[in-house]
Amino acid sequence: PDMIWFKSRSNSTWHVIHDSVRGAISRLFPNETNAASTSFDGFVDFEPNGFSLDGTGSGGDVNASGRTYVAWCWKAGGAPTATNSAGAGNVPTAGSVKIDGADLSTALAGTTAATKISANTKAGFSIVTFTFSSPSSSQTVGHGLNQAPELILTKTTSTTGTWYTYHKDVGTGKHLVLDSSSGVTNYANGFSTVNSSVWQQYFMSAAASHVAYCFHSVDGYQRLGSYTGTGNAIGNYVFTDSNGDGTGTGAFEPAFLLVKRTDVAADWFIYD
C-alpha cells in the first residue's frame, strides 16, 4: 500500500494516516489539525505484501499490546524516490512523479509544481505533496489522474492547519472539514477549479508543506456520490452504479463507506 488509515477499535486513540510519498514514519491525524509528526507510534514501513509494525516505543496508535485495530489500505503509484525541482510547467525531476509505477516523462500540470506525486489511474487515487510560497486564488496543482477528482482531502503537514475537503456534490467554491463536524462552508476562492489535470486551492499556508489525497469514481470499484435521507425505518437504498439509481454501469458491493451530513453540523462516520 501507499496509504494506510489506522484506528484503534477498542480504545479512544486518534485516527492515524501514513503514506509512502511523505515517508513511512511521518503520520497525520485526520481527526485533528496537528502538523505531521515523526514520533514513533509502532508503524515501521510499507511492505510488498502489507506493512510492518514494531511494539517498542509509544505504539498505542497502531500497535499496543491487546488492543484491536483496523487498517484501511490504498495502492497509489509507488513511492517517489526524488523531490521535483524542475518548476511549474516542466517535465518533473526523474523519480519524483510516479504514475502507475512509472516516471512521468511529460510536462507536469499546474501553476505550482507538485514536489511529489504517486498516482494509480486505474484505481482513481493519487497522493500529492506541494508547497505554496505565496498563496493566491489562481494557483493550481496537478493531481496525476486522468479525470477530475471527486474527493480531495488536503492538509498542511509542516504547520497546524485544517483538513480542507472538496467533494463533487458539495461543489466548487465550497468545502467540508475532515477534522470538524461543521457543515458546508462557502469560500469563493477555495476549490474554484477541479478538472482532469489540476485543482485550484487558495486557503493554504504560505511557505508550508501540504499533502492532498485525491479520489474519483471507478466503475465496479469505488464511487463518490450523495443522497438525501428519508428517516424511513426501511430505506434509503443507495446505488453504486454510474447513474446512482440502479440503471447505470459498474455497480458493486462496497467494503468501505465514508459518510458526512452536509446540510448541518454532524460527525463523519466510517463503516466497513
Side-chain angles (χ1 to χ4, degrees):
D2 289 299
M3 173 184 166
I4 306 176
W5 184 328
F6 290 97
K7 179 68 180 78
S8 171
R9 297 164 49 231
S10 57
N11 293 77
S12 57
T13 56
W14 288 357
H15 294 249
V16 181
I17 289 178
H18 289 266
D19 71 67
S20 66
V21 176
R22 294 180 301 107
I25 197 172
S26 180
R27 58 180 180 168
L28 286 168
F29 309 102
N31 58 297
E32 295 289 338
T33 60
N34 298 45
S37 168
T38 56
S39 299
F40 184 71
D41 66 348
F43 179 76
V44 177
D45 208 355
F46 301 90
E47 305 293 348
N49 56 358
F51 55 90
S52 55
L53 305 172
D54 191 319
T56 60
S58 59
D61 288 333
V62 302
N63 196 30
S65 177
R67 294 183 182 179
T68 57
Y69 295 90
V70 62
W72 301 294
C73 305
W74 285 265
K75 177 62 182 171
T81 57
T83 299
N84 181 28
S85 59
N90 297 315
V91 176
T93 303
S96 64
V97 176
K98 295 290 187 180
I99 310 296
D100 298 327
D103 286 355
L104 181 66
S105 59
T106 58
L108 181 63
T111 59
T112 294
T115 51
K116 294 180 180 180
I117 296 179
S118 178
N120 183 339
T121 60
K122 292 182 179 179
F125 172 58
S126 69
I127 306 168
V128 184
T129 59
F130 57 99
T131 299
F132 283 163
S133 57
S134 179
S136 73
S137 59
S138 62
Q139 287 179 306
T140 59
V141 184
H143 47 68
L145 301 173
N146 54 14
Q147 67 185 70
E150 297 169 318
L151 175 69
I152 307 174
L153 311 175
T154 62
K155 176 71 176 71
T156 57
T157 56
S158 54
T159 63
T160 299
T162 294
W163 283 83
Y164 292 107
T165 301
Y166 165 82
H167 189 284
K168 71 179 181 69
D169 291 338
V170 168
T172 56
K174 304 174 182 179
H175 66 265
L176 293 165
V177 178
L178 186 63
D179 57 271
S180 168
S181 62
S182 61
V184 174
T185 299
N186 294 313
Y187 188 72
N189 291 326
F191 296 120
S192 61
T193 298
V194 180
N195 60 35
S196 60
S197 57
V198 300
W199 83 93
Q200 178 275 345
Q201 191 160 340
Y202 176 59
F203 33 58
M204 305 303 275
S205 302
S209 300
H210 307 85
V211 67
Y213 303 107
C214 306
F215 304 81
H216 67 69
S217 297
V218 176
D219 269 8
Y221 175 65
Q222 72 183 11
R223 189 75 65 196
L224 287 302
S226 60
Y227 62 94
T228 300
T230 64
N232 293 340
I234 301 176
N236 292 348
Y237 195 103
V238 179
F239 294 91
T240 59
D241 67 286
S242 58
N243 293 338
D245 61 3
T247 66
T249 61
F252 62 95
E253 179 182 349
F256 173 92
L257 298 175
L258 176 65
V259 182
K260 173 71 172 74
R261 185 171 176 178
T262 58
D263 58 332
V264 298
D267 289 339
W268 294 77
F269 290 88
I270 294 175
Y271 302 87
D272 71 46

